[in-house]
Amino acid sequence: MTKNATPKVFAFAIKMEQDGERFYRDLAAQSPDKGVQFILTGLADDEVKHAHILRELEKGASPTLTETSVLSGAKSVFSGMAARKAFAAVGTDQKALYLQALEIERRSRDFYKAQADGTALKPLRDVFLRLCDQENRHMFLLDNMIQFISRPQMWLENAEFNHLEEY
């Protein structure tokens, strides 16, 4: 551990991931659309994986962080919603919650970036940077969800569903 990777840092990060998981599961439970539930549950599952990785790091292990699969699944969800013209199913009334989730992911990303910058231990730095990258991917997905519900026709026409291919 470094001066920044103290038990307090790990406890904070694990709680942050647990709070994120709870937030996404609650949000999924509020959504009437199975596809949106799939996306939000995938985000919650990623938060569980992150907490597990952090617990392993705290114990001194060198855990492997696997790629998130939620982006690839999200593309098919958006495509299906577009085919069904189910734009409202995402829930414009939930836009504020998606914006809140985006901010949560931004804070998580910034936290992991700061932790990576604050350590000289390459294995620890690498894991923090991978967590940072996954939080970026979550932000990208949430931003696309917000765009989709805000301007569904424009999202479809401009991107032809290629938004999610960038990641």
Side-chain angles (χ1 to χ4, degrees), residues 46 48-54 62-68 126-135:
D46 278 356
V48 170
K49 291 175 193 172
H50 296 172
H52 175 74
I53 292 293
L54 290 161
S62 297
T64 303
L65 183 61
T66 58
E67 285 298 318
T68 179
D126 289 348
V127 172
F128 282 138
L129 287 174
R130 292 285 312 266
L131 287 166
C132 182
D133 180 61
Q134 287 205 3
E135 302 300 356

Side-chain angles (χ1 to χ4, degrees), residues 79-162:
S79 297
M81 290 176 75
R84 295 187 324 269
K85 303 229 185 285
F87 306 121
V90 178
T92 53
D93 58 327
Q94 291 186 338
K95 182 178 177 180
L97 294 172
Y98 299 138
L99 287 167
Q100 183 181 351
L102 184 62
E103 182 56 30
I104 289 168
E105 295 294 343
R106 185 181 334 277
R107 284 193 306 252
S108 296
R109 180 210 51 202
D110 293 349
F111 173 80
Y112 292 128
K113 177 74 170 104
Q115 295 308 306
D117 290 347
T119 185
L121 296 174
K122 184 170 176 13
L124 190 57
R125 178 178 167 76
D126 289 348
V127 172
F128 282 138
L129 287 174
R130 292 285 312 266
L131 287 166
C132 182
D133 180 61
Q134 287 205 3
E135 302 300 356
N136 270 332
R137 291 171 188 263
H138 291 177
M139 288 172 56
F140 179 79
L141 176 56
L142 288 162
D143 186 54
N144 272 272
M145 286 180 75
I146 292 164
Q147 288 180 40
F148 185 80
I149 63 173
S150 299
R151 305 180 307 273
Q153 282 309 122
M154 184 180 290
W155 191 92
L156 296 170
E157 291 166 7
N158 288 346
E160 297 177 7
F161 302 109
N162 289 324

